Amino acid sequence: MLTIKDITAYLEWLAPPAYQESYDNAGLITGNAAAEVKGAICCLDATEEVLDEAIEKGCNLVIAHHPIVFRGLKKLTGRNYVERVVIKAIRHDIAIYAIHTNLDNVYFKGVNAKISEKLGLKNTRILSPKKELKKLSLLAGPTELEALRTAFFEAGAGSVNGFDRITYATLGVGTGGGAAFAQMKLEVVYPAARTAAILATLNRLAPEAPCEITSLENQSLEIGSGMIGELPKAMKEEDFLKNLKKVMQAGCVRHTRLRSKPVKTVALCGGSGSFLLPAAIAQGADLYITGDFKYHEFFDAEDHLVIADIGHFESEQFTIDLLCEIISEKFPTFAPLKTSVNTNPVLYL
Ligand SMILES: [Zn+2]
């Protein structure tokens, strides 16, 4: 039996809830995590239409990028679409799960990795990395080392800054009871959000091992917002923008004036990304793609780069494909659906 928790636990393994921004409300919003998944449907917004589609297609799990509930609900009378969605979900026993800024903030299989893939960017890296790293050091006998290493990797350690399964071990001499013996000091780095899993592993395998956990000052290259990368070949600005409009299926691209310079380095952020403009400029992007730029914010480009606002929905729409790919890869016998409802509230004449 595949439960809602089986799916959400895997999603949270890839994009831990601890990576979400403070204003966010990612996670299970309605429903019972222990229930069996009869069918799942992926979308950007869990609107009433998407819930109707879920009911019609026999899905009891709606996986949305945006949390339908952001703030506390004090009444549930159905006076607005948020309340109506919650009421409908509860009435029909539908779980709504949101994977939002935590999915924005991961390098691997995140929202921005998907956009970069669509645009064919190479050498990508996080545009604004977070400081999220911890290091565990512990003393262990040489024979225990391999089992500890493997268990820590499984708990999410050792995979940092683009390298996989990394630990560091030094051989030392322990003394006690009049004897000297070989002892190893094992060091492993992990993202702070993995702390609970790391400590559980430690308590399971080596509850008495002397250990130390420290916070690192390094930035994590796997966690943070936005992405920057390079095109395989520089393109003319007009050509790039036309291709961008086509690939991202944008109804319109609002952009700042062109600089008559080729586009090679491209920064991007799915959703509302104007806050990352300074980072895009500082890192030498020729062009910055996102959504929700305001009039006055366009001035801030100051010819350092070209801002291309393709729309919030348009920038994130392939997150639906991404979610389906992630789930199908992990649960090959389970096929999640993509919503056929276009939930973009913005239309173009
Ligand atoms: Zn969004």
Side-chain angles (χ1 to χ4, degrees), residues 65-66 100 271 312 316:
H65 181 45
H66 298 132
H100 190 210
H312 189 127
E316 297 181 326

Side-chain angles (χ1 to χ4, degrees), residues 47-58 88 92 94:
T47 59
E48 290 176 271
E49 291 84 358
V50 171
L51 258 72
D52 287 336
E53 189 185 15
I55 295 163
E56 189 199 315
K57 294 182 174 166
K88 187 170 273 193
H92 292 270
I94 291 176

Side-chain angles (χ1 to χ4, degrees), residues 52-259:
D52 287 336
E53 189 185 15
I55 295 163
E56 189 199 315
K57 294 182 174 166
C59 299
N60 64 340
L61 173 61
V62 173
I63 301 170
H65 181 45
H66 298 132
I68 183 76
V69 178
F70 262 108
R71 283 166 231 92
L73 292 174
K74 288 196 169 179
K75 295 187 175 73
L76 263 182
T77 58
R79 70 196 161 129
N80 59 38
Y81 77 97
V82 174
E83 292 183 7
R84 286 195 296 277
V85 165
V86 173
I87 292 168
K88 187 170 273 193
I90 293 170
R91 268 200 186 137
H92 292 270
D93 212 6
I94 291 176
I96 300 178
Y97 178 81
I99 180 161
H100 190 210
T101 49
N102 46 330
L103 192 63
D104 290 331
N105 283 338
V106 291
Y107 178 77
F108 294 105
K109 296 184 193 281
V111 171
N112 297 316
K114 188 69 185 171
I115 303 171
S116 301
E117 179 196 312
K118 283 276 165 192
L119 297 174
L121 299 187
K122 308 279 174 221
N123 306 325
T124 53
R125 58 179 198 275
I126 296 260
L127 185 57
S128 177
K130 291 185 190 292
K131 281 184 189 170
E132 286 282 351
L133 294 177
K134 300 246 177 216
K135 190 182 74 171
L136 169 73
S137 314
L138 82 158
L139 299 179
T143 53
E144 302 159 56
L145 207 61
E146 212 38 57
L148 282 167
R149 268 197 185 119
T150 308
F152 284 134
F153 294 149
E154 280 165 12
S159 165
V160 280
N161 298 350
F163 296 97
D164 214 10
R165 301 176 81 84
I166 299 292
T167 59
Y168 187 76
T170 32
L171 177 63
V173 180
T175 54
F181 47 89
Q183 190 153 48
M184 304 298 296
K185 183 180 181 188
L186 176 67
E187 292 172 280
V188 63
V189 174
Y190 59 91
R194 308 278 189 206
T195 302
I198 299 295
L199 290 180
T201 304
L202 190 64
N203 286 332
R204 184 163 52 84
L205 291 183
E208 284 163 14
C211 69
E212 181 187 357
I213 292 175
T214 45
S215 295
L216 302 186
E217 283 303 305
N218 307 62
Q219 291 178 326
S220 167
L221 300 186
E222 287 184 6
I223 310 155
S225 35
M227 202 160 274
I228 184 165
E230 284 151 25
L231 292 171
K233 238 176 87 192
M235 285 174 84
K236 273 170 112 175
E237 291 162 313
E238 293 90 340
D239 295 344
F240 181 83
L241 289 173
K242 278 182 193 150
N243 184 57
L244 173 69
K245 184 167 190 253
K246 199 172 102 198
V247 171
M248 297 307 290
Q249 298 168 16
C252 125
V253 176
R254 301 189 305 145
H255 64 87
T256 52
R257 73 179 168 214
L258 304 185
R259 305 184 304 154

